[in-house]
Amino acid sequence: MPVKPLPPELFVDHGTNAEMRWDSADLTDGLTDQARLFVRSHTTAPDLDPVTYRLRVFGDGLAPRRVADDALELSLDDLDALPQVSRPVLLECTGNGRRLFGDQQGTPIEETPWRMGAVGVVEATGVLVRDVLESIGLAADAREVLATGLDDAYVRDGVDHGPVRRPYPLTERDALLVRAFNGEDLLPDHGYPLRLLVPGWVGIAQVKWLGSLEVSTGPLESPWNTRWYRMSGGDHPADSPPLTVLPVRSALALPWPGQVQVGEEVELTGRAWSGLAPIRRVEVSTDDGATWTEAELVPDDAAEVWSRFQSVWRPGAPGEHAVLVRATDGAGRTQPDRTPYNSDGYLFDAVVRHPVVVTG
Ligand SMILES: Nc1nc2c(c(=O)[nH]1)N[C@H]1C(S)=C(S)[C@@H](COP(=O)(O)O)O[C@H]1N2
Ligand SMILES: [Mo]
């Protein structure tokens, strides 16, 4: 269970995970308060002492090379002494929208049934991983970093898979060791006292409660890049690569189902986001996709990561409707009508059919 309070008006409770309710989302400045941010934890948040906390850094990608036994240990004070960077970042679970594979495409998938609320944007403050590694000494042929959490081992189907850990390549030059979200210490559920963020990447890359970084000259593996978090099933090839950049998605800030009156002016608003580029266009359809209206994009500080959209609708007839939102990012990626099936329910990026009941 998450540590922070999960009031039912803000969260949908999914056991060890908790989903933000879009009808309660605070759209004002584009940053998601940690108290409202979704939680996705494989086990439970460890209780870590900031005074004795050390980040261990080792591997053959360091110069001089260091084995695990001989790891360098950095305290939080050591990290705080390095130049700090702040930027808004998207945090989104790979499986966000999973429930819609069933509800919308007829292929339900077990595992956490998120609608669209496993997402948020925070202003992250910390130090660049490359600054830390360069201050230690990086080998010329260093290639990958394996980030390992300090949470309990993840046991599934009787198999102990060890703590959550996942590698990323050093070509991701913006990767950050994060100490604060929105100017406040990380909450225990969100990785206190230190987590990794690889901007634009799937949630599993954003390792919480960071215990160590292994820097390697060769490829690194963990079950979180070999077994999970890659596409399987459906038409996907058996050797699909590990998932990296987040797709384009969007959500309406409305109850599910929404409820409106005939003839009443309704402001359809919400956010659209992409792991690759700012949002360029958002269209809305209230007639099942027959016609589309361009929504207005409202600028704010978080718009480089996700954009607020709004569009006015005056429903003409009572009954059950679906409101559709279709976003396009600056890289030219548009939400499709359908997401090809995969057996873990990852990356549901299709246009969501948000049910709205119009009463007469
Ligand atoms: N150590 C650790 N890091 C982790 C996880 C975890 O269970 N343990 N869950 C991952 C997943 S799947 C997601 S979606 C994000 C969720 O971050 P949040 O709970 O802060 O929203 O953290 C990632 N980092
Ligand atoms: Mo996730």
Side-chain angles (χ1 to χ4, degrees):
M1 286 298 287
V3 177
K4 70 182 181 184
L6 301 174
E9 64 278 16
L10 300 185
F11 289 99
V12 181
D13 190 340
H14 295 301
T16 62
N17 307 324
E19 170 165 12
M20 182 190 79
R21 297 182 66 112
W22 268 103
D23 53 333
S24 73
D26 179 359
L27 300 176
T28 44
D29 67 355
L31 297 179
T32 311
D33 204 53
Q34 283 194 86
R36 292 167 173 259
L37 188 61
F38 81 98
V39 180
R40 160 59 171 132
S41 296
H42 284 65
T43 59
T44 47
D47 184 9
L48 301 173
D49 177 354
V51 176
T52 55
Y53 173 85
R54 297 289 182 272
L55 173 68
R56 303 175 61 249
V57 188
F58 64 95
D60 73 350
L62 293 177
R65 302 182 194 282
R66 280 173 176 272
V67 291
D69 296 344
D70 175 38
L72 271 176
E73 299 205 331
L74 302 178
S75 68
L76 295 173
D77 286 344
D78 294 334
L79 293 169
D80 291 347
L82 292 166
Q84 304 290 307
V85 178
S86 285
R87 55 174 293 180
V89 281
L90 178 64
L91 196 55
E92 185 178 29
C93 188
T94 323
N96 198 18
R98 178 179 289 120
R99 182 184 171 133
L100 299 165
F101 277 105
D103 290 358
Q104 207 166 288
Q105 301 191 168
T107 51
I109 290 157
E110 282 187 33
E111 293 292 308
T112 308
W114 311 107
R115 279 196 180 113
M116 269 298 149
V119 64
V121 169
V122 287
E123 188 183 58
T125 302
V127 297
L128 289 168
V129 177
R130 67 181 148 94
D131 283 351
V132 176
L133 299 182
E134 280 165 11
S135 74
I136 295 170
L138 202 51
D141 55 350
R143 186 167 140 185
E144 296 209 343
V145 177
L146 178 68
T148 302
L150 291 167
D151 36 348
D152 287 344
Y154 179 57
V155 179
R156 182 159 154 166
D157 302 329
V159 179
D160 182 338
H161 296 283
V164 170
R165 60 202 185 281
R166 200 181 200 250
Y168 78 90
L170 279 163
T171 45
E172 290 304 307
R173 293 180 56 81
D174 294 333
L176 270 180
L177 297 181
V178 175
R179 291 272 282 130
F181 278 171
N182 307 329
E184 293 163 359
D185 282 355
L186 298 174
L187 288 181
D189 289 316
H190 298 299
Y192 181 82
L194 188 75
R195 82 183 292 170
L196 177 70
L197 279 187
V198 184
W201 278 37
V202 288
I204 189 59
Q206 328 297 354
V207 176
K208 304 194 272 193
W209 314 296
L210 193 59
S212 67
L213 296 175
E214 177 181 356
V215 188
S216 168
T217 55
L220 291 165
E221 287 186 348
S222 89
W224 286 269
N225 75 326
T226 59
R227 173 175 178 157
W228 302 302
Y229 300 99
R230 49 204 301 169
M231 294 302 197
S232 63
D235 294 330
H236 295 283
D239 58 349
S240 290
L243 297 172
T244 58
V245 176
L246 288 164
V248 184
R249 305 196 242 210
S250 56
L252 277 166
L254 274 184
W256 188 292
Q259 206 133 31
V260 298
Q261 291 280 325
V262 168
E264 184 192 17
E265 212 172 79
V266 186
E267 190 194 57
L268 298 172
T269 187
R271 290 207 170 251
W273 59 93
S274 151
L276 197 55
I279 293 298
R280 186 167 69 198
R281 187 169 67 242
V282 173
E283 301 153 285
V284 174
S285 175
T286 54
D287 58 7
D288 258 322
T291 60
W292 293 87
T293 308
E294 185 139 352
E296 183 195 344
L297 298 183
V298 187
D300 61 30
D301 288 348
E304 70 181 82
V305 185
W306 65 359
S307 277
R308 180 169 178 180
F309 59 85
Q310 52 192 34
S311 178
V312 171
W313 177 40
R314 200 186 287 276
E320 286 180 22
H321 288 247
V323 177
L324 282 57
V325 176
R326 181 170 69 192
T328 300
D329 74 7
R333 304 187 303 172
T334 297
Q335 290 186 261
D337 294 336
R338 213 172 173 285
T339 301
Y341 172 84
N342 69 87
S343 44
D344 296 294
Y346 295 139
L347 304 188
F348 185 92
D349 63 346
V351 169
V352 174
R353 305 172 55 82
H354 194 120
V356 178
V357 179
V358 180
T359 48

